[in-house]
Amino acid sequence: MKQDPVPAPTSVWRDQRAIALLLAASLTVMANATISPALAGLEAAFSDAPHAEILTRLLVPAPSLSVVLCAPLAGMFADRFGRRRMLLIGVILFIITGSAGLYLPSLPAIFASRLALGIAVALIMTAGTALIGDYFTGNQRSDLVGLQVSARNFGGFLFISLAGYMAAISPRLPFAIYGLAAFFLPLMWVAISEPVRSAPRTKMQGNKGHRAWKWLILTLALLQMLTNMLFFVIPTQLPFFFKVQGYNSAVMTGSALGALMLTGGCTALLYARMKRTIGFYGNYSLGYTMLALGFMLIGCGVKPWIIFAGAAAIGAGYAMVSPNFVAIALNLAPERHRGLVGGMLTTSIFLGQFLSPWLSTPAIAAFGYSETFYGISLLLGVLAMATALVGGRELIRRLLPATG
């Protein structure tokens, strides 16, 4: 199913393709963090299973391993065979594998279904990123990458908050949330068409991309991996942090992650306007500052409202920096390699998520929760200062010719 590209309307909200891509984006947040409130309950339910403690913690980042392995291949597949088919296959696979935890009899079987879920996420995210680049340009593209993060956050607020209360009833119930993707599939089937792309050899500079795009996108991918590795400490470790503090782990985790997603969603709605005002570097610097503040508050939080405030700051900070990676990468990449770039960015996100518990769990065991959170805050503060310095130097470089 092919059609010629249609000029983007004034508002992306009026484009069915944009709505379908936003729905697809909201699914990806389900992949990992939705079952976070159920972790303590699942650990208790499968306490007799070998290695139950580490397997339970790996249920959240397990899809990330499959994404890391499959996303680069998915990117090449998207460039060669098209984006639409891959997106639809990914959504169908998402529904089947995501809800499998409702009925699978053992913890290893649930872990295997989580790995399969990662394949679906790789297909959805890679195709979605490439389609944003194919369908939209300029301000519309900036609007949509911000709205995409907002959709993930508002979807996360709904899904994770609901999962917190469902997990208090049964640790298996949150897996039912993945079935909601079935209601999104009809719109995606109708609205998403395969765009006609330009021939590989083109004289248009916009289609050729930056001459050093490979190295620049690799740098972006590494920074995005580090960002997600630090950010993902929250959904993987917060349930156990609350348990140590003596709170109801499921309800408190669901509420804290809900606050994180809600503030993140609201902040992401302002992304395009903020980017036009303070630029990419300004967004990075302010976002990393908010992330650092959030981890510091959680580390010193002895009362729930302080912890919730920290989670809210982390959500806002992540929403400031996350759209930058996609927006910058799509500006740098050649048109014919957008699928590959989408795969690289998807890989970097989930590689960071997968590595997160492997690094944070030993750190917490050695130093404790507060000290680990303080250390993460310090590292994020360094990133905030570094991006501010680079951005300031870039601004001075642009102003000097005008004033000279």
Side-chain angles (χ1 to χ4, degrees), residues 223-240:
L223 179 59
Q224 185 173 236
M225 182 191 74
L226 175 61
T227 302
N228 281 273
M229 185 172 65
L230 299 176
F231 171 77
F232 217 65
V233 170
I234 296 302
T236 54
Q237 300 296 345
L238 204 57
F240 306 100

Side-chain angles (χ1 to χ4, degrees), residues 21 83-84 87 126-136 192-193 195:
L21 291 174
R83 288 68 146 123
R84 178 182 185 271
L87 178 67
T126 300
T129 300
L131 285 168
I132 290 175
D134 290 337
Y135 287 157
F136 302 97
I192 299 297
S193 58

Side-chain angles (χ1 to χ4, degrees), residues 160-216:
I160 296 174
S161 298
L162 180 60
Y165 294 98
M166 295 175 75
I169 301 171
S170 168
R172 284 181 178 265
L173 273 182
F175 290 100
I177 296 174
Y178 293 90
L180 293 175
F183 296 99
F184 302 163
L185 188 59
L187 176 61
M188 296 177 189
W189 191 281
V190 172
I192 299 297
S193 58
E194 187 63 36
V196 177
R197 297 184 295 278
S198 303
R201 294 182 181 179
T202 175
K203 295 181 180 180
M204 294 177 62
Q205 181 65 31
N207 289 334
K208 290 170 64 178
H210 193 282
R211 60 180 181 175
W213 69 272
K214 293 180 180 178
W215 290 107
L216 292 172

Side-chain angles (χ1 to χ4, degrees), residues 221-277:
L222 291 173
L223 179 59
Q224 185 173 236
M225 182 191 74
L226 175 61
T227 302
N228 281 273
M229 185 172 65
L230 299 176
F231 171 77
F232 217 65
V233 170
I234 296 302
T236 54
Q237 300 296 345
L238 204 57
F240 306 100
F241 173 71
F242 279 128
K243 186 177 180 180
V244 168
Q245 298 291 325
Y247 296 111
N248 184 312
S249 175
V251 173
M252 290 291 285
T253 301
S255 299
L257 293 181
L260 181 152
M261 295 293 179
L262 184 60
T263 56
C266 293
T267 303
L269 290 174
L270 304 173
Y271 169 76
R273 184 177 299 177
M274 292 174 64
K275 193 268 290 183
R276 289 191 286 269
T277 303

